[in-house]
mmCIF file of all heavy atoms in Angstrom:
data_model
loop_
_atom_site.group_PDB
_atom_site.id
_atom_site.type_symbol
_atom_site.label_atom_id
_atom_site.label_comp_id
_atom_site.label_asym_id
_atom_site.label_seq_id
_atom_site.Cartn_x
_atom_site.Cartn_y
_atom_site.Cartn_z
ATOM 1 N N LYS F 89 -38.436 22.280 -10.277
ATOM 2 C CA LYS F 89 -39.104 23.391 -9.582
ATOM 3 C C LYS F 89 -38.596 24.721 -9.846
ATOM 4 O O LYS F 89 -39.236 25.706 -9.989
ATOM 5 C CB LYS F 89 -39.153 23.102 -7.980
ATOM 6 C CG LYS F 89 -39.914 22.086 -7.560
ATOM 7 C CD LYS F 89 -39.801 21.822 -6.073
ATOM 8 C CE LYS F 89 -40.717 20.546 -5.611
ATOM 9 N NZ LYS F 89 -40.624 20.414 -4.077
ATOM 10 N N ARG F 90 -37.301 24.815 -10.047
ATOM 11 C CA ARG F 90 -36.586 26.090 -10.436
ATOM 12 C C ARG F 90 -37.116 26.533 -11.832
ATOM 13 O O ARG F 90 -37.306 27.694 -12.114
ATOM 14 C CB ARG F 90 -35.080 25.986 -10.417
ATOM 15 C CG ARG F 90 -34.511 25.898 -9.087
ATOM 16 C CD ARG F 90 -33.012 26.326 -8.983
ATOM 17 N NE ARG F 90 -32.244 25.676 -10.096
ATOM 18 C CZ ARG F 90 -31.596 24.463 -9.941
ATOM 19 N NH1 ARG F 90 -31.701 23.821 -8.699
ATOM 20 N NH2 ARG F 90 -30.831 24.074 -10.828
ATOM 21 N N HIS F 91 -37.259 25.528 -12.715
ATOM 22 C CA HIS F 91 -37.657 25.847 -14.046
ATOM 23 C C HIS F 91 -39.068 26.384 -14.072
ATOM 24 O O HIS F 91 -39.556 27.292 -14.900
ATOM 25 C CB HIS F 91 -37.753 24.630 -14.923
ATOM 26 C CG HIS F 91 -36.252 23.981 -15.098
ATOM 27 N ND1 HIS F 91 -36.072 22.771 -15.491
ATOM 28 C CD2 HIS F 91 -35.099 24.463 -14.638
ATOM 29 C CE1 HIS F 91 -34.698 22.450 -15.434
ATOM 30 N NE2 HIS F 91 -34.114 23.522 -14.958
ATOM 31 N N GLU F 92 -39.948 25.960 -13.122
ATOM 32 C CA GLU F 92 -41.279 26.337 -12.979
ATOM 33 C C GLU F 92 -41.486 27.857 -12.554
ATOM 34 O O GLU F 92 -42.465 28.487 -12.953
ATOM 35 C CB GLU F 92 -42.111 25.573 -12.044
ATOM 36 C CG GLU F 92 -42.322 24.062 -12.581
ATOM 37 C CD GLU F 92 -42.907 23.175 -11.508
ATOM 38 O OE1 GLU F 92 -42.974 23.610 -10.361
ATOM 39 O OE2 GLU F 92 -43.210 21.911 -11.860
ATOM 40 N N THR F 93 -40.504 28.377 -11.928
ATOM 41 C CA THR F 93 -40.455 29.775 -11.417
ATOM 42 C C THR F 93 -39.641 30.578 -12.287
ATOM 43 O O THR F 93 -39.444 31.764 -12.041
ATOM 44 C CB THR F 93 -39.914 29.805 -10.026
ATOM 45 O OG1 THR F 93 -38.656 29.264 -9.868
ATOM 46 C CG2 THR F 93 -40.839 29.116 -8.955
ATOM 47 N N TYR F 94 -39.089 30.016 -13.365
ATOM 48 C CA TYR F 94 -38.247 30.769 -14.381
ATOM 49 C C TYR F 94 -39.088 31.783 -15.065
ATOM 50 O O TYR F 94 -40.252 31.589 -15.286
ATOM 51 C CB TYR F 94 -37.664 29.797 -15.332
ATOM 52 C CG TYR F 94 -36.476 30.148 -16.007
ATOM 53 C CD1 TYR F 94 -35.086 29.984 -15.367
ATOM 54 C CD2 TYR F 94 -36.406 30.527 -17.308
ATOM 55 C CE1 TYR F 94 -33.958 30.339 -15.971
ATOM 56 C CE2 TYR F 94 -35.153 30.939 -18.012
ATOM 57 C CZ TYR F 94 -33.995 30.753 -17.293
ATOM 58 O OH TYR F 94 -32.874 31.114 -17.987
ATOM 59 N N ILE F 95 -38.423 32.906 -15.351
ATOM 60 C CA ILE F 95 -39.296 34.036 -16.050
ATOM 61 C C ILE F 95 -39.087 33.660 -17.578
ATOM 62 O O ILE F 95 -38.080 33.812 -18.200
ATOM 63 C CB ILE F 95 -38.565 35.445 -15.828
ATOM 64 C CG1 ILE F 95 -38.746 35.707 -14.346
ATOM 65 C CG2 ILE F 95 -39.300 36.533 -16.618
ATOM 66 C CD1 ILE F 95 -37.962 36.985 -13.815
ATOM 67 N N GLY F 96 -40.305 33.326 -18.089
ATOM 68 C CA GLY F 96 -40.333 32.995 -19.570
ATOM 69 C C GLY F 96 -39.925 31.496 -19.725
ATOM 70 O O GLY F 96 -39.563 30.735 -18.818
ATOM 71 N N PRO F 97 -39.767 31.165 -21.067
ATOM 72 C CA PRO F 97 -39.367 29.676 -21.411
ATOM 73 C C PRO F 97 -37.922 29.297 -20.805
ATOM 74 O O PRO F 97 -37.052 30.248 -20.736
ATOM 75 C CB PRO F 97 -39.305 29.689 -22.832
ATOM 76 C CG PRO F 97 -40.220 30.785 -23.295
ATOM 77 C CD PRO F 97 -40.071 31.879 -22.257
ATOM 78 N N TRP F 98 -37.792 28.129 -20.348
ATOM 79 C CA TRP F 98 -36.541 27.616 -19.892
ATOM 80 C C TRP F 98 -35.877 26.695 -21.017
ATOM 81 O O TRP F 98 -36.675 25.852 -21.635
ATOM 82 C CB TRP F 98 -36.659 26.829 -18.519
ATOM 83 C CG TRP F 98 -35.372 26.187 -18.214
ATOM 84 C CD1 TRP F 98 -34.474 26.662 -17.335
ATOM 85 C CD2 TRP F 98 -34.824 24.908 -18.618
ATOM 86 N NE1 TRP F 98 -33.405 25.786 -17.128
ATOM 87 C CE2 TRP F 98 -33.594 24.730 -17.921
ATOM 88 C CE3 TRP F 98 -35.221 23.907 -19.411
ATOM 89 C CZ2 TRP F 98 -32.777 23.553 -18.069
ATOM 90 C CZ3 TRP F 98 -34.450 22.695 -19.564
ATOM 91 C CH2 TRP F 98 -33.275 22.663 -18.971
ATOM 92 N N LEU F 99 -34.589 27.051 -21.399
ATOM 93 C CA LEU F 99 -33.908 26.095 -22.384
ATOM 94 C C LEU F 99 -32.727 25.561 -21.730
ATOM 95 O O LEU F 99 -32.175 26.173 -20.729
ATOM 96 C CB LEU F 99 -33.459 27.038 -23.600
ATOM 97 C CG LEU F 99 -34.712 27.553 -24.402
ATOM 98 C CD1 LEU F 99 -34.061 28.364 -25.533
ATOM 99 C CD2 LEU F 99 -35.359 26.392 -25.034
ATOM 100 N N PRO F 100 -32.328 24.344 -22.182
ATOM 101 C CA PRO F 100 -30.961 23.858 -21.612
ATOM 102 C C PRO F 100 -29.845 24.809 -21.863
ATOM 103 O O PRO F 100 -29.797 25.528 -22.876
ATOM 104 C CB PRO F 100 -30.822 22.616 -22.449
ATOM 105 C CG PRO F 100 -32.230 22.254 -22.926
ATOM 106 C CD PRO F 100 -32.853 23.585 -23.191
ATOM 107 N N GLU F 101 -28.856 24.723 -20.977
ATOM 108 C CA GLU F 101 -27.705 25.638 -21.103
ATOM 109 C C GLU F 101 -26.816 25.073 -22.216
ATOM 110 O O GLU F 101 -26.458 23.885 -22.185
ATOM 111 C CB GLU F 101 -26.963 25.620 -19.694
ATOM 112 C CG GLU F 101 -25.626 26.386 -19.809
ATOM 113 C CD GLU F 101 -24.869 26.303 -18.443
ATOM 114 O OE1 GLU F 101 -25.431 25.793 -17.510
ATOM 115 O OE2 GLU F 101 -23.735 26.722 -18.524
ATOM 116 N N PRO F 102 -26.551 25.839 -23.286
ATOM 117 C CA PRO F 102 -25.753 25.313 -24.362
ATOM 118 C C PRO F 102 -24.386 24.896 -23.976
ATOM 119 O O PRO F 102 -23.696 25.586 -23.038
ATOM 120 C CB PRO F 102 -25.699 26.605 -25.226
ATOM 121 C CG PRO F 102 -26.770 27.416 -24.823
ATOM 122 C CD PRO F 102 -26.923 27.297 -23.338
ATOM 123 N N VAL F 103 -23.844 23.885 -24.572
ATOM 124 C CA VAL F 103 -22.399 23.434 -24.290
ATOM 125 C C VAL F 103 -21.726 23.326 -25.600
ATOM 126 O O VAL F 103 -22.281 23.162 -26.669
ATOM 127 C CB VAL F 103 -22.293 22.043 -23.599
ATOM 128 C CG1 VAL F 103 -22.713 22.040 -22.145
ATOM 129 C CG2 VAL F 103 -23.150 21.026 -24.340
ATOM 130 N N ASP F 104 -20.369 23.689 -25.615
ATOM 131 C CA ASP F 104 -19.606 23.740 -26.725
ATOM 132 C C ASP F 104 -19.103 22.252 -27.079
ATOM 133 O O ASP F 104 -18.409 21.698 -26.225
ATOM 134 C CB ASP F 104 -18.412 24.632 -26.456
ATOM 135 C CG ASP F 104 -17.499 24.733 -27.861
ATOM 136 O OD1 ASP F 104 -17.701 24.065 -28.761
ATOM 137 O OD2 ASP F 104 -16.608 25.638 -27.672
ATOM 138 N N THR F 105 -19.594 21.666 -28.141
ATOM 139 C CA THR F 105 -19.236 20.270 -28.458
ATOM 140 C C THR F 105 -18.265 20.130 -29.624
ATOM 141 O O THR F 105 -17.983 19.076 -30.177
ATOM 142 C CB THR F 105 -20.594 19.522 -28.871
ATOM 143 O OG1 THR F 105 -21.292 20.266 -29.766
ATOM 144 C CG2 THR F 105 -21.326 19.234 -27.633
ATOM 145 N N SER F 106 -17.568 21.334 -29.822
ATOM 146 C CA SER F 106 -16.624 21.296 -31.052
ATOM 147 C C SER F 106 -15.380 20.438 -30.653
ATOM 148 O O SER F 106 -14.796 19.811 -31.561
ATOM 149 C CB SER F 106 -16.193 22.698 -31.369
ATOM 150 O OG SER F 106 -15.582 23.350 -30.223
ATOM 151 N N ALA F 107 -15.036 20.430 -29.387
ATOM 152 C CA ALA F 107 -13.885 19.503 -28.980
ATOM 153 C C ALA F 107 -14.320 18.070 -28.581
ATOM 154 O O ALA F 107 -13.519 17.128 -28.838
ATOM 155 C CB ALA F 107 -13.108 20.146 -27.873
ATOM 156 N N ASP F 108 -15.472 17.993 -28.099
ATOM 157 C CA ASP F 108 -15.934 16.571 -27.684
ATOM 158 C C ASP F 108 -17.386 16.478 -28.176
ATOM 159 O O ASP F 108 -18.240 16.713 -27.440
ATOM 160 C CB ASP F 108 -15.844 16.482 -26.144
ATOM 161 C CG ASP F 108 -16.330 15.065 -25.665
ATOM 162 O OD1 ASP F 108 -16.523 14.214 -26.481
ATOM 163 O OD2 ASP F 108 -16.380 14.855 -24.404
ATOM 164 N N PRO F 109 -17.539 15.999 -29.411
ATOM 165 C CA PRO F 109 -18.883 15.949 -29.936
ATOM 166 C C PRO F 109 -19.873 15.055 -29.074
ATOM 167 O O PRO F 109 -21.064 15.324 -29.099
ATOM 168 C CB PRO F 109 -18.635 15.294 -31.419
ATOM 169 C CG PRO F 109 -17.178 15.579 -31.649
ATOM 170 C CD PRO F 109 -16.552 15.563 -30.394
ATOM 171 N N GLN F 110 -19.382 13.927 -28.489
ATOM 172 C CA GLN F 110 -20.171 13.081 -27.803
ATOM 173 C C GLN F 110 -20.287 13.418 -26.302
ATOM 174 O O GLN F 110 -21.173 12.870 -25.565
ATOM 175 C CB GLN F 110 -19.705 11.613 -27.863
ATOM 176 C CG GLN F 110 -20.153 10.779 -29.049
ATOM 177 C CD GLN F 110 -19.553 11.160 -30.241
ATOM 178 O OE1 GLN F 110 -18.512 11.920 -30.401
ATOM 179 N NE2 GLN F 110 -20.003 10.681 -31.411
ATOM 180 N N LEU F 111 -19.527 14.343 -25.861
ATOM 181 C CA LEU F 111 -19.538 14.824 -24.407
ATOM 182 C C LEU F 111 -19.390 13.675 -23.506
ATOM 183 O O LEU F 111 -20.150 13.371 -22.632
ATOM 184 C CB LEU F 111 -20.835 15.641 -24.119
ATOM 185 C CG LEU F 111 -20.695 16.796 -23.071
ATOM 186 C CD1 LEU F 111 -19.704 17.794 -23.818
ATOM 187 C CD2 LEU F 111 -21.846 17.356 -22.883
ATOM 188 N N GLY F 112 -18.223 12.878 -23.714
ATOM 189 C CA GLY F 112 -17.936 11.861 -22.842
ATOM 190 C C GLY F 112 -18.701 10.556 -23.004
ATOM 191 O O GLY F 112 -18.573 9.638 -22.186
ATOM 192 N N ALA F 113 -19.488 10.456 -24.124
ATOM 193 C CA ALA F 113 -20.340 9.274 -24.266
ATOM 194 C C ALA F 113 -19.840 8.412 -25.416
ATOM 195 O O ALA F 113 -18.984 8.792 -26.246
ATOM 196 C CB ALA F 113 -21.762 9.746 -24.563
ATOM 197 N N GLU F 114 -20.502 7.325 -25.621
ATOM 198 C CA GLU F 114 -20.394 6.463 -26.750
ATOM 199 C C GLU F 114 -20.902 7.031 -28.026
ATOM 200 O O GLU F 114 -20.355 6.974 -29.108
ATOM 201 C CB GLU F 114 -21.002 5.082 -26.502
ATOM 202 C CG GLU F 114 -20.325 4.319 -25.308
ATOM 203 C CD GLU F 114 -18.914 3.961 -25.498
ATOM 204 O OE1 GLU F 114 -18.476 3.548 -26.617
ATOM 205 O OE2 GLU F 114 -18.144 3.898 -24.461
ATOM 206 N N ARG F 115 -22.094 7.713 -27.748
ATOM 207 C CA ARG F 115 -22.847 8.335 -28.861
ATOM 208 C C ARG F 115 -23.252 9.707 -28.385
ATOM 209 O O ARG F 115 -23.314 10.050 -27.224
ATOM 210 C CB ARG F 115 -24.036 7.498 -29.283
ATOM 211 C CG ARG F 115 -23.608 6.059 -29.839
ATOM 212 C CD ARG F 115 -24.912 5.422 -30.183
ATOM 213 N NE ARG F 115 -25.813 4.897 -29.151
ATOM 214 C CZ ARG F 115 -25.659 3.688 -28.516
ATOM 215 N NH1 ARG F 115 -24.685 2.936 -28.953
ATOM 216 N NH2 ARG F 115 -26.421 3.477 -27.452
ATOM 217 N N ALA F 116 -23.635 10.573 -29.438
ATOM 218 C CA ALA F 116 -23.998 11.873 -29.049
ATOM 219 C C ALA F 116 -25.405 11.988 -28.695
ATOM 220 O O ALA F 116 -25.943 13.030 -28.464
ATOM 221 C CB ALA F 116 -23.744 12.826 -30.253
ATOM 222 N N ALA F 117 -26.155 10.913 -28.430
ATOM 223 C CA ALA F 117 -27.607 10.932 -28.129
ATOM 224 C C ALA F 117 -27.812 11.727 -26.852
ATOM 225 O O ALA F 117 -27.046 11.725 -25.923
ATOM 226 C CB ALA F 117 -28.031 9.337 -27.875
ATOM 227 N N GLY F 118 -29.013 12.360 -26.873
ATOM 228 C CA GLY F 118 -29.377 13.190 -25.710
ATOM 229 C C GLY F 118 -28.732 14.445 -25.557
ATOM 230 O O GLY F 118 -28.875 15.075 -24.440
ATOM 231 N N LEU F 119 -28.032 14.990 -26.580
ATOM 232 C CA LEU F 119 -27.354 16.275 -26.453
ATOM 233 C C LEU F 119 -28.169 17.378 -27.248
ATOM 234 O O LEU F 119 -28.102 18.552 -26.750
ATOM 235 C CB LEU F 119 -26.020 16.171 -27.068
ATOM 236 C CG LEU F 119 -24.887 15.738 -26.152
ATOM 237 C CD1 LEU F 119 -23.484 15.770 -26.892
ATOM 238 C CD2 LEU F 119 -24.802 16.696 -25.048
ATOM 239 N N GLU F 120 -28.867 17.050 -28.243
ATOM 240 C CA GLU F 120 -29.627 18.044 -29.030
ATOM 241 C C GLU F 120 -30.557 18.688 -28.226
ATOM 242 O O GLU F 120 -31.246 18.191 -27.358
ATOM 243 C CB GLU F 120 -30.350 17.426 -30.208
ATOM 244 C CG GLU F 120 -29.395 16.859 -31.297
ATOM 245 C CD GLU F 120 -30.131 16.403 -32.521
ATOM 246 O OE1 GLU F 120 -31.184 16.959 -32.980
ATOM 247 O OE2 GLU F 120 -29.742 15.273 -33.002
ATOM 248 N N PHE F 121 -30.886 20.031 -28.447
ATOM 249 C CA PHE F 121 -31.689 20.871 -27.699
ATOM 250 C C PHE F 121 -33.133 20.301 -27.675
ATOM 251 O O PHE F 121 -33.843 20.201 -26.651
ATOM 252 C CB PHE F 121 -31.742 22.328 -28.174
ATOM 253 C CG PHE F 121 -30.384 23.052 -28.062
ATOM 254 C CD1 PHE F 121 -29.684 23.382 -29.102
ATOM 255 C CD2 PHE F 121 -29.961 23.356 -26.718
ATOM 256 C CE1 PHE F 121 -28.482 23.950 -28.906
ATOM 257 C CE2 PHE F 121 -28.751 24.024 -26.679
ATOM 258 C CZ PHE F 121 -28.064 24.298 -27.692
#
Side-chain angles (χ1 to χ4, degrees):
K89 287 181 180 178
R90 291 203 307 272
H91 301 167
E92 291 172 355
T93 59
Y94 204 78
I95 300 174
W98 176 92
L99 292 175
E101 179 183 349
V103 288
D104 183 353
T105 49
S106 58
D108 182 4
Q110 270 76 9
L111 215 64
E114 301 293 325
R115 297 184 288 269
L119 273 182
E120 290 183 43
F121 294 110

